Amino acid sequence: MTRILLVDDEATIRRGVRRFLEHQGFDVTLAEDLAGARRQASNGDFDLLLADLRLPDGEGTTLIGEYPRLPTVIMTSYASVPSAVEAMKSGAIDYIAKPFDHDALLLTLRAALRSSGHGKEQTVATSDSSEDCGLIGQDPGIVTLRHQIRRVATANSTVLIRGESGTGKEVAARAIHTLSPRAGQPFVPVNCASIPEGLVEAELFGHAQGAYTGAVKARAGLVEAAHRGVLFLDEIGELAPAAQARLLRVLQEGEIRPVGANQARRVDVRLLAATHRDLEAMIEAGEFRADLYYRLRVLEIRIPPLRERMEDLTLLASHFLRELESRFDKHDVVLSDETVARMMHYSWPGNVRELENALERAVVLSEGSRIDWEHLGLATSAKEPRGQPGSLSDYFRRFVLENQGRMNETQLAQALGISRKTLWERRQRENLPRT
């Protein structure tokens, strides 16, 4: 059985990830800091290290140098250039940003194990994921999508992944990477909507020392971090015009020029891009470059929204409930017949992500093992208002919806007492993208 050493200082994450991975057939040992990880590593033979970047007694990347033969995946809530680039430079096989999707985590670990040759006895843990590419369902649209993923994975061409928010575009991108010849190289995900416009170019392409105020030393960018691997640009439609021009040069010439630098650098990167925006309409409005668009859509796949594949609803719900049982230590959680019937008539504007979030809420709020409709926190229809706020999540939703028309993102974040990045992450979890 494949053995994983999981190092994280948050007890809830340790328990949740351990239950999920053990359910997938892995043997998981826990540690909460570097000292604990060293004790466990000295007493056991592990196949993979899954470590948080920030630990109470240091950084998780420290362990890479101490155990160079142990393939390492870094978890981080600081999904930025420094963490991504430094993790890769330190020797990490991959990194994944919190909060992460469990299916995406499983695909990441599969790729890491396969590339390192440590994938022994992995048939139980990976067979289901290999078969469904992390995209669960039997709807003809999903079956076709899985075939398309397997076909485009073997090429080195750029892929444009289209689909509404919450449909699973990053899961599809990770599946393409995992099944590709580049599986043993970095997979670097970037959400273009989460980077402040003034920092997009520096974060993607890096910067020279003194390139701008605060650039006290040269720093590589995310494109360079993905060298020989895959760069996944989510929400590519949000990319600023200047960054679009630089990205086009990467695709045409295979080189980058850091901000403020005189010399260009060669890079070997396969680009996967995703969007929920109508890029064709953006081109007509002068908001997106036509030449970049045609470079991006060498290959194109579309992920159907949940409302177009309702026959998969119960299958998806069952999958998420089994994961949630492990995370919250519950057993035999079931949906009432009325709940299933009403779920089938709901339009799911937030797609699979909304379904997963609603089920998590229900598992937390339900006192027993039966989930009723009111536990899900969904309106009778997608257009009906939700009830009065009864949790921090409800308060966040109400505050954002009531104030985003008169506040920009910085003002909203300040009013809520959180960072812009945290605001963006919460928007994604609550299915509240800024339109």
Coordinates of all heavy atoms in Angstrom, one line a residue, residues 230-306:
V230 N 3.2 22.4 -17.2 CA 2.0 23.0 -17.7 C 1.6 24.2 -16.8 O 1.7 24.2 -15.6 CB 0.8 21.9 -17.5 CG1 -0.5 22.6 -17.8 CG2 1.0 20.8 -18.5
L231 N 1.2 25.3 -17.6 CA 0.7 26.5 -16.9 C -0.8 26.5 -17.2 O -1.2 26.5 -18.4 CB 1.4 27.7 -17.5 CG 0.9 29.1 -17.0 CD1 1.3 29.3 -15.6 CD2 1.4 30.2 -17.9
F232 N -1.6 26.6 -16.1 CA -3.0 26.6 -16.3 C -3.5 28.0 -15.9 O -3.4 28.4 -14.8 CB -3.7 25.6 -15.4 CG -5.2 25.7 -15.4 CD1 -5.9 25.7 -16.5 CD2 -5.9 25.8 -14.2 CE1 -7.3 25.8 -16.5 CE2 -7.2 26.0 -14.1 CZ -8.0 25.9 -15.3
L233 N -4.0 28.8 -16.9 CA -4.5 30.1 -16.7 C -6.0 30.1 -16.6 O -6.7 30.0 -17.7 CB -4.0 31.1 -17.8 CG -2.5 31.3 -17.8 CD1 -2.2 32.3 -19.0 CD2 -2.0 31.9 -16.5
D234 N -6.5 30.1 -15.4 CA -8.0 30.1 -15.2 C -8.5 31.5 -15.4 O -7.8 32.5 -15.0 CB -8.3 29.5 -13.8 CG -9.8 29.1 -13.7 OD1 -10.5 29.1 -14.8 OD2 -10.2 28.7 -12.6
E235 N -9.7 31.6 -15.9 CA -10.4 32.9 -16.1 C -9.4 33.8 -17.0 O -9.2 35.0 -16.7 CB -10.7 33.6 -14.8 CG -11.7 32.8 -14.0 CD -13.0 32.5 -14.7 OE1 -13.3 33.1 -15.8 OE2 -13.8 31.6 -14.3
I236 N -9.0 33.3 -18.1 CA -8.1 34.0 -19.0 C -8.7 35.3 -19.6 O -8.0 36.2 -19.9 CB -7.7 33.1 -20.2 CG1 -6.6 33.7 -21.1 CG2 -8.9 32.7 -21.1 CD1 -5.2 33.4 -20.6
G237 N -10.1 35.3 -19.6 CA -10.8 36.5 -20.1 C -10.5 37.7 -19.2 O -10.8 38.9 -19.6
E238 N -10.0 37.5 -17.9 CA -9.8 38.6 -17.0 C -8.4 39.2 -17.2 O -8.0 40.1 -16.5 CB -10.0 38.2 -15.6 CG -11.3 37.5 -15.3 CD -12.5 38.3 -15.6 OE1 -12.4 39.6 -15.4 OE2 -13.5 37.8 -16.1
L239 N -7.6 38.6 -18.1 CA -6.2 39.1 -18.2 C -6.1 40.5 -18.8 O -6.8 40.8 -19.8 CB -5.4 38.1 -19.1 CG -3.9 38.0 -19.0 CD1 -3.5 37.6 -17.6 CD2 -3.4 37.0 -20.0
A240 N -5.3 41.3 -18.2 CA -5.1 42.7 -18.7 C -4.5 42.7 -20.1 O -3.8 41.8 -20.5 CB -4.3 43.5 -17.7
P241 N -4.8 43.7 -20.9 CA -4.3 43.8 -22.3 C -2.8 43.7 -22.4 O -2.3 43.0 -23.3 CB -4.8 45.2 -22.7 CG -6.1 45.4 -21.9 CD -5.8 44.8 -20.6
A242 N -2.1 44.4 -21.5 CA -0.6 44.3 -21.6 C -0.1 42.9 -21.4 O 0.8 42.4 -22.0 CB 0.0 45.3 -20.6
A243 N -0.7 42.2 -20.4 CA -0.3 40.8 -20.1 C -0.7 39.9 -21.3 O 0.0 38.9 -21.6 CB -1.0 40.4 -18.8
Q244 N -1.8 40.2 -22.0 CA -2.2 39.4 -23.1 C -1.1 39.5 -24.2 O -0.8 38.5 -24.8 CB -3.5 40.0 -23.7 CG -4.8 39.7 -22.9 CD -6.0 40.3 -23.5 OE1 -6.1 40.3 -24.7 NE2 -7.0 40.7 -22.7
A245 N -0.6 40.7 -24.4 CA 0.5 40.8 -25.4 C 1.7 40.0 -25.1 O 2.3 39.4 -25.9 CB 0.8 42.3 -25.6
R246 N 2.1 40.1 -23.8 CA 3.3 39.3 -23.3 C 3.0 37.8 -23.4 O 3.9 37.0 -23.8 CB 3.6 39.7 -21.9 CG 4.3 41.0 -21.7 CD 4.6 41.3 -20.2 NE 5.4 42.5 -20.0 CZ 6.7 42.6 -19.9 NH1 7.4 41.4 -20.1 NH2 7.3 43.7 -19.7
L247 N 1.8 37.4 -23.1 CA 1.5 36.0 -23.2 C 1.5 35.5 -24.6 O 2.0 34.4 -24.9 CB 0.1 35.7 -22.6 CG -0.4 34.2 -22.6 CD1 0.6 33.4 -21.8 CD2 -1.8 34.1 -22.0
L248 N 1.1 36.3 -25.6 CA 1.2 36.0 -27.0 C 2.6 35.7 -27.4 O 2.9 34.7 -28.2 CB 0.5 37.1 -27.8 CG 0.5 36.8 -29.3 CD1 -0.4 35.6 -29.6 CD2 0.0 38.1 -30.0
R249 N 3.5 36.5 -26.9 CA 4.9 36.3 -27.2 C 5.5 34.9 -26.7 O 6.2 34.3 -27.3 CB 5.8 37.4 -26.7 CG 7.3 37.3 -27.0 CD 8.0 38.6 -26.7 NE 9.4 38.4 -27.1 CZ 9.9 38.7 -28.3 NH1 9.0 39.1 -29.3 NH2 11.2 38.6 -28.6
V250 N 5.0 34.6 -25.5 CA 5.4 33.3 -24.9 C 4.9 32.1 -25.9 O 5.7 31.2 -26.2 CB 4.7 33.1 -23.5 CG1 5.0 31.6 -23.0 CG2 5.3 34.1 -22.6
L251 N 3.7 32.3 -26.4 CA 3.2 31.2 -27.2 C 3.8 31.2 -28.6 O 4.0 30.2 -29.2 CB 1.6 31.4 -27.4 CG 0.8 31.2 -26.1 CD1 -0.6 31.6 -26.4 CD2 0.9 29.8 -25.6
Q252 N 4.2 32.4 -29.1 CA 4.8 32.5 -30.5 C 6.3 32.2 -30.5 O 6.8 31.5 -31.3 CB 4.5 33.9 -31.0 CG 3.1 34.2 -31.4 CD 2.9 35.6 -31.9 OE1 3.6 36.5 -31.5 NE2 1.9 35.8 -32.7
E253 N 7.0 32.7 -29.5 CA 8.4 32.7 -29.5 C 9.0 31.7 -28.4 O 10.2 31.4 -28.5 CB 9.0 34.1 -29.2 CG 8.5 35.1 -30.2 CD 8.8 34.9 -31.6 OE1 9.8 34.2 -31.9 OE2 8.1 35.4 -32.5
G254 N 8.2 31.3 -27.5 CA 8.7 30.4 -26.4 C 9.7 31.1 -25.5 O 10.6 30.5 -25.0
E255 N 9.5 32.4 -25.3 CA 10.4 33.1 -24.4 C 9.6 34.2 -23.6 O 8.5 34.6 -24.0 CB 11.5 33.8 -25.2 CG 11.0 34.9 -26.2 CD 12.1 35.5 -26.9 OE1 13.2 34.8 -27.1 OE2 12.0 36.7 -27.3
I256 N 10.2 34.6 -22.5 CA 9.6 35.6 -21.6 C 10.7 36.7 -21.4 O 11.9 36.4 -21.4 CB 9.1 35.0 -20.3 CG1 10.3 34.4 -19.5 CG2 8.0 34.1 -20.4 CD1 10.0 34.0 -18.1
R257 N 10.2 37.9 -21.1 CA 11.0 39.0 -20.7 C 10.5 39.5 -19.4 O 9.5 40.2 -19.4 CB 11.1 40.1 -21.7 CG 12.2 41.1 -21.5 CD 12.1 42.3 -22.4 NE 12.3 41.8 -23.8 CZ 13.5 41.7 -24.4 NH1 14.6 42.0 -23.7 NH2 13.6 41.3 -25.6
P258 N 11.2 39.3 -18.3 CA 10.7 39.8 -17.0 C 10.6 41.3 -17.0 O 11.3 42.0 -17.8 CB 11.8 39.4 -16.0 CG 12.4 38.2 -16.6 CD 12.4 38.4 -18.1
V259 N 9.6 41.8 -16.2 CA 9.4 43.3 -16.2 C 10.7 44.0 -15.7 O 11.3 43.6 -14.7 CB 8.3 43.6 -15.2 CG1 8.2 45.1 -15.0 CG2 7.0 43.0 -15.6
G260 N 11.2 44.9 -16.5 CA 12.4 45.7 -16.2 C 13.7 45.0 -16.6 O 14.8 45.6 -16.4
A261 N 13.6 43.8 -17.3 CA 14.8 43.1 -17.7 C 15.1 43.4 -19.1 O 14.3 43.8 -19.9 CB 14.6 41.6 -17.5
N262 N 16.4 43.3 -19.5 CA 16.9 43.5 -20.8 C 16.9 42.3 -21.7 O 16.8 42.3 -22.9 CB 18.2 44.2 -20.8 CG 18.2 45.6 -20.2 OD1 17.2 46.3 -20.4 ND2 19.2 45.9 -19.4
Q263 N 17.1 41.2 -21.0 CA 17.3 39.9 -21.8 C 16.0 39.0 -21.6 O 15.4 38.9 -20.5 CB 18.5 39.2 -21.2 CG 19.8 39.9 -21.4 CD 20.2 40.1 -22.8 OE1 20.0 39.2 -23.7 NE2 20.8 41.3 -23.2
A264 N 15.7 38.4 -22.7 CA 14.6 37.4 -22.7 C 15.1 36.0 -22.3 O 16.3 35.7 -22.3 CB 14.0 37.3 -24.1
R265 N 14.2 35.2 -21.7 CA 14.6 33.9 -21.3 C 13.7 32.8 -22.0 O 12.5 33.1 -22.2 CB 14.3 33.7 -19.8 CG 15.1 34.7 -18.9 CD 14.7 34.5 -17.5 NE 15.3 35.6 -16.6 CZ 15.1 35.7 -15.4 NH1 14.2 34.9 -14.8 NH2 15.7 36.7 -14.7
R266 N 14.3 31.8 -22.4 CA 13.6 30.7 -23.1 C 12.8 29.9 -22.1 O 13.3 29.6 -21.0 CB 14.5 29.8 -23.9 CG 15.4 30.4 -24.9 CD 14.5 30.9 -26.1 NE 13.9 29.8 -26.8 CZ 13.0 29.9 -27.8 NH1 12.7 31.2 -28.2 NH2 12.5 28.9 -28.4
V267 N 11.6 29.5 -22.4 CA 10.8 28.7 -21.6 C 10.1 27.6 -22.4 O 9.7 27.8 -23.6 CB 9.7 29.5 -20.8 CG1 10.3 30.3 -19.7 CG2 8.8 30.3 -21.7
D268 N 9.9 26.4 -21.8 CA 9.2 25.3 -22.5 C 7.9 25.1 -21.6 O 8.0 24.4 -20.6 CB 10.1 24.1 -22.6 CG 9.3 22.9 -23.1 OD1 8.2 23.0 -23.7 OD2 9.8 21.8 -22.9
V269 N 6.8 25.6 -22.0 CA 5.6 25.5 -21.3 C 4.4 25.1 -22.2 O 4.3 25.7 -23.3 CB 5.3 26.9 -20.6 CG1 3.9 26.9 -20.0 CG2 6.3 27.2 -19.5
R270 N 3.6 24.2 -21.7 CA 2.3 23.9 -22.3 C 1.3 24.7 -21.6 O 1.2 24.7 -20.4 CB 2.0 22.4 -22.3 CG 0.7 22.1 -23.1 CD 0.2 20.7 -23.0 NE -0.9 20.5 -23.9 CZ -1.6 19.3 -24.0 NH1 -1.2 18.3 -23.2 NH2 -2.6 19.2 -24.8
L271 N 0.5 25.5 -22.4 CA -0.5 26.3 -21.8 C -1.9 25.7 -21.9 O -2.3 25.3 -23.0 CB -0.5 27.7 -22.5 CG -1.5 28.7 -22.0 CD1 -1.2 29.1 -20.5 CD2 -1.6 29.9 -22.9
L272 N -2.6 25.7 -20.8 CA -4.0 25.3 -20.7 C -4.7 26.6 -20.2 O -4.3 27.2 -19.2 CB -4.3 24.1 -19.8 CG -3.5 22.9 -20.1 CD1 -3.9 21.8 -19.0 CD2 -3.7 22.4 -21.5
A273 N -5.8 27.0 -20.9 CA -6.5 28.2 -20.4 C -8.0 27.8 -20.3 O -8.5 26.9 -20.9 CB -6.3 29.3 -21.5
A274 N -8.6 28.6 -19.4 CA -10.0 28.3 -19.1 C -10.8 29.6 -18.9 O -10.2 30.6 -18.5 CB -10.2 27.4 -17.9
T275 N -12.1 29.6 -19.3 CA -12.9 30.8 -19.1 C -14.3 30.5 -19.1 O -14.8 29.5 -19.7 CB -12.6 31.8 -20.3 OG1 -13.3 33.0 -20.0 CG2 -13.0 31.3 -21.6
H276 N -15.1 31.3 -18.4 CA -16.6 31.3 -18.5 C -17.1 32.4 -19.3 O -18.3 32.5 -19.5 CB -17.2 31.3 -17.1 CG -17.2 32.7 -16.5 ND1 -16.0 33.2 -15.9 CD2 -18.1 33.6 -16.3 CE1 -16.3 34.4 -15.4 NE2 -17.6 34.7 -15.7
R277 N -16.2 33.3 -19.8 CA -16.6 34.5 -20.5 C -16.8 34.2 -22.0 O -16.2 33.2 -22.5 CB -15.5 35.6 -20.4 CG -15.2 36.0 -19.0 CD -16.3 37.0 -18.5 NE -16.4 38.2 -19.2 CZ -15.6 39.3 -19.0 NH1 -14.7 39.3 -18.0 NH2 -15.8 40.4 -19.7
D278 N -17.5 35.0 -22.7 CA -17.7 34.9 -24.1 C -16.6 35.7 -24.8 O -16.6 36.9 -25.0 CB -19.1 35.6 -24.5 CG -19.4 35.4 -26.0 OD1 -18.5 35.1 -26.8 OD2 -20.6 35.6 -26.4
L279 N -15.5 35.0 -25.1 CA -14.3 35.6 -25.7 C -14.6 36.3 -27.0 O -14.0 37.3 -27.3 CB -13.2 34.6 -25.8 CG -12.6 34.0 -24.4 CD1 -11.5 33.1 -24.7 CD2 -12.3 35.1 -23.5
E280 N -15.5 35.6 -27.8 CA -15.8 36.2 -29.1 C -16.4 37.6 -29.0 O -16.1 38.5 -29.7 CB -16.7 35.3 -29.9 CG -16.1 33.9 -30.3 CD -16.1 32.9 -29.2 OE1 -16.6 33.2 -28.1 OE2 -15.6 31.8 -29.4
A281 N -17.3 37.7 -28.0 CA -18.0 39.0 -27.8 C -16.9 40.0 -27.2 O -17.0 41.2 -27.6 CB -19.1 38.9 -26.8
M282 N -16.0 39.5 -26.4 CA -14.9 40.4 -25.9 C -14.0 40.9 -27.0 O -13.6 42.1 -27.0 CB -14.1 39.7 -24.8 CG -14.9 39.3 -23.6 SD -13.9 38.5 -22.3 CE -12.8 39.8 -21.9
I283 N -13.8 40.1 -28.0 CA -13.0 40.5 -29.1 C -13.7 41.6 -29.9 O -13.0 42.6 -30.2 CB -12.7 39.3 -30.1 CG1 -11.7 38.3 -29.4 CG2 -12.0 39.8 -31.4 CD1 -11.6 37.0 -30.1
E284 N -15.0 41.5 -30.1 CA -15.7 42.5 -30.8 C -15.7 43.8 -30.0 O -15.8 44.9 -30.6 CB -17.2 42.0 -31.1 CG -17.3 40.9 -32.1 CD -18.7 40.5 -32.4 OE1 -19.6 41.2 -31.9 OE2 -18.9 39.5 -33.1
A285 N -15.7 43.7 -28.7 CA -15.7 44.9 -27.9 C -14.3 45.5 -27.6 O -14.2 46.5 -27.0 CB -16.4 44.6 -26.5
G286 N -13.3 44.8 -28.2 CA -12.0 45.3 -28.1 C -11.3 45.0 -26.7 O -10.4 45.6 -26.3
E287 N -11.9 44.0 -26.0 CA -11.4 43.7 -24.7 C -10.5 42.5 -24.7 O -9.9 42.2 -23.6 CB -12.6 43.4 -23.7 CG -13.5 44.6 -23.6 CD -14.8 44.3 -22.8 OE1 -15.0 43.0 -22.6 OE2 -15.5 45.2 -22.4
F288 N -10.4 41.8 -25.8 CA -9.5 40.6 -25.8 C -8.9 40.5 -27.2 O -9.6 40.7 -28.2 CB -10.3 39.3 -25.5 CG -9.5 38.1 -25.1 CD1 -9.1 38.0 -23.8 CD2 -9.0 37.2 -26.0 CE1 -8.3 36.9 -23.4 CE2 -8.2 36.1 -25.6 CZ -7.9 36.0 -24.3
R289 N -7.6 40.1 -27.3 CA -6.9 40.1 -28.5 C -7.3 38.9 -29.4 O -7.3 37.8 -28.9 CB -5.4 40.0 -28.3 CG -4.8 41.2 -27.6 CD -3.3 41.0 -27.4 NE -2.6 40.9 -28.6 CZ -1.8 41.8 -29.1 NH1 -1.5 42.9 -28.4 NH2 -1.1 41.6 -30.3
A290 N -7.7 39.2 -30.6 CA -8.1 38.1 -31.5 C -6.9 37.2 -31.8 O -7.1 35.9 -31.9 CB -8.6 38.7 -32.8
D291 N -5.7 37.7 -32.0 CA -4.5 36.8 -32.3 C -4.2 35.9 -31.1 O -3.9 34.7 -31.3 CB -3.3 37.6 -32.7 CG -3.0 38.8 -31.7 OD1 -3.7 39.0 -30.7 OD2 -2.1 39.6 -32.0
L292 N -4.4 36.4 -29.9 CA -4.2 35.5 -28.7 C -5.3 34.4 -28.7 O -5.1 33.3 -28.4 CB -4.2 36.3 -27.4 CG -4.1 35.5 -26.1 CD1 -2.8 34.7 -26.1 CD2 -4.1 36.5 -24.9
Y293 N -6.5 34.8 -29.0 CA -7.7 33.9 -28.9 C -7.4 32.7 -29.9 O -7.6 31.6 -29.5 CB -8.9 34.7 -29.4 CG -10.1 33.8 -29.7 CD1 -10.9 33.2 -28.7 CD2 -10.5 33.6 -31.0 CE1 -12.0 32.4 -28.9 CE2 -11.6 32.8 -31.3 CZ -12.3 32.2 -30.2 OH -13.4 31.4 -30.5
Y294 N -6.9 33.0 -31.1 CA -6.7 31.9 -32.0 C -5.5 31.0 -31.6 O -5.5 29.8 -31.9 CB -6.5 32.5 -33.4 CG -7.8 33.0 -34.0 CD1 -7.9 34.4 -34.2 CD2 -8.9 32.2 -34.2 CE1 -9.1 34.9 -34.7 CE2 -10.1 32.8 -34.7 CZ -10.2 34.1 -34.9 OH -11.4 34.6 -35.4
R295 N -4.6 31.6 -30.9 CA -3.5 30.8 -30.4 C -3.9 29.9 -29.2 O -3.4 28.8 -29.1 CB -2.4 31.7 -29.9 CG -1.5 32.4 -30.9 CD -0.5 31.4 -31.4 NE 0.4 32.0 -32.4 CZ 1.4 31.3 -33.0 NH1 1.8 30.1 -32.5 NH2 2.2 31.9 -33.9
L296 N -4.9 30.4 -28.5 CA -5.4 29.6 -27.3 C -6.2 28.5 -27.7 O -6.2 27.4 -27.1 CB -6.2 30.5 -26.4 CG -5.4 31.6 -25.6 CD1 -6.4 32.5 -24.8 CD2 -4.4 31.0 -24.7
R297 N -7.1 28.7 -28.7 CA -8.0 27.6 -29.1 C -7.6 26.7 -30.2 O -8.3 26.4 -31.1 CB -9.4 28.3 -29.3 CG -9.9 28.6 -30.6 CD -11.3 29.3 -30.6 NE -12.3 28.4 -30.8 CZ -12.8 28.0 -32.0 NH1 -12.2 28.4 -33.1 NH2 -13.8 27.2 -32.1
V298 N -6.3 26.3 -30.1 CA -5.8 25.2 -31.0 C -6.7 24.0 -30.8 O -7.2 23.4 -31.7 CB -4.3 24.9 -30.7 CG1 -3.9 23.8 -31.6 CG2 -3.5 26.2 -31.0
L299 N -6.9 23.7 -29.5 CA -7.8 22.6 -29.1 C -8.8 23.2 -28.2 O -8.4 24.1 -27.3 CB -7.1 21.4 -28.5 CG -6.0 20.7 -29.4 CD1 -5.2 19.7 -28.5 CD2 -6.7 20.0 -30.5
E300 N -10.0 22.8 -28.2 CA -11.1 23.4 -27.3 C -12.0 22.3 -26.8 O -12.4 21.4 -27.6 CB -11.9 24.4 -28.1 CG -13.0 25.1 -27.2 CD -13.7 26.2 -28.0 OE1 -13.0 27.0 -28.6 OE2 -15.0 26.2 -28.0
I301 N -12.2 22.3 -25.5 CA -13.2 21.4 -24.9 C -14.2 22.2 -24.1 O -13.8 23.3 -23.6 CB -12.5 20.3 -24.1 CG1 -11.8 21.0 -22.9 CG2 -11.6 19.4 -24.9 CD1 -11.2 19.9 -22.0
R302 N -15.4 21.7 -24.0 CA -16.4 22.4 -23.2 C -17.0 21.5 -22.1 O -17.2 20.3 -22.4 CB -17.6 22.8 -24.1 CG -18.8 23.4 -23.4 CD -19.9 23.7 -24.4 NE -21.1 24.2 -23.7 CZ -22.1 23.5 -23.2 NH1 -22.0 22.2 -23.3 NH2 -23.1 24.0 -22.6
I303 N -17.1 22.0 -20.9 CA -17.6 21.3 -19.8 C -19.1 21.7 -19.6 O -19.4 22.9 -19.4 CB -16.9 21.6 -18.5 CG1 -15.4 21.2 -18.7 CG2 -17.4 20.7 -17.4 CD1 -14.5 21.4 -17.5
P304 N -20.0 20.7 -19.7 CA -21.4 21.1 -19.6 C -21.8 21.5 -18.2 O -21.3 21.0 -17.2 CB -22.2 19.8 -20.0 CG -21.2 18.7 -19.7 CD -19.8 19.3 -20.0
P305 N -22.8 22.5 -18.1 CA -23.3 22.8 -16.8 C -24.1 21.7 -16.2 O -24.6 20.8 -16.9 CB -24.1 24.1 -17.1 CG -24.6 23.9 -18.5 CD -23.4 23.2 -19.2
L306 N -24.2 21.7 -14.9 CA -24.9 20.7 -14.2 C -26.4 20.5 -14.6 O -26.9 19.4 -14.7 CB -24.9 20.9 -12.7 CG -25.5 19.9 -11.8 CD1 -25.0 18.5 -12.0 CD2 -25.4 20.2 -10.3

